[in-house]
Amino acid sequence: MNTDFENEFNSLVFKTAELITGDTSPEMLEKIKIWAFFNHVHKSLPALTSHWNQTHPEGKAEVRRIFEEIRELNQALQAAKKPEQT
């Protein structure tokens, strides 16, 4: 792959993580990639994710944990921003 493209794409992932969770650690960047990919596949090919969930229950539990972590971080970030917006 083109290095310039990789850098540009990584900056998109970085900004997404920053806006959604406020956390831009390397671990969170990987979680955002998993979250975005699984979310897209689940919406585009729900039968595939259903099958995968059934055949990989441990993976399903990990994806759920990642989704919940991202949701909680997003909610905390939004709550912290509310006083600033008023």
Side-chain angles (χ1 to χ4, degrees):
M1 249 188 296
N2 180 325
T3 305
D4 288 338
F5 167 75
E6 287 183 58
N7 291 336
E8 291 168 357
F9 187 81
N10 287 335
S11 70
L12 176 63
V13 174
F14 183 93
K15 191 63 176 178
T16 302
E18 181 181 39
L19 292 172
I20 291 176
T21 67
D23 179 357
T24 57
S25 67
E27 182 182 0
M28 183 53 66
L29 297 178
E30 287 304 310
K31 289 177 182 179
I32 289 293
K33 289 177 187 177
I34 292 167
W35 171 79
F37 176 77
F38 196 89
N39 197 32
H40 175 73
V41 173
H42 181 68
K43 289 179 181 179
S44 302
L45 302 164
L48 176 61
T49 54
S50 178
H51 173 73
W52 186 83
N53 286 340
Q54 291 172 5
T55 57
H56 299 87
E58 297 86 11
K60 175 185 176 182
E62 183 63 17
V63 168
R64 182 171 183 84
R65 189 189 66 72
I66 290 169
F67 270 61
E68 289 173 359
E69 179 183 355
I70 290 172
R71 183 184 69 233
E72 289 169 6
L73 288 170
N74 181 259
Q75 289 173 343
L77 187 64
Q78 295 306 315
K81 287 182 178 179
K82 281 197 178 188
E84 295 173 10
Q85 294 174 352
T86 56

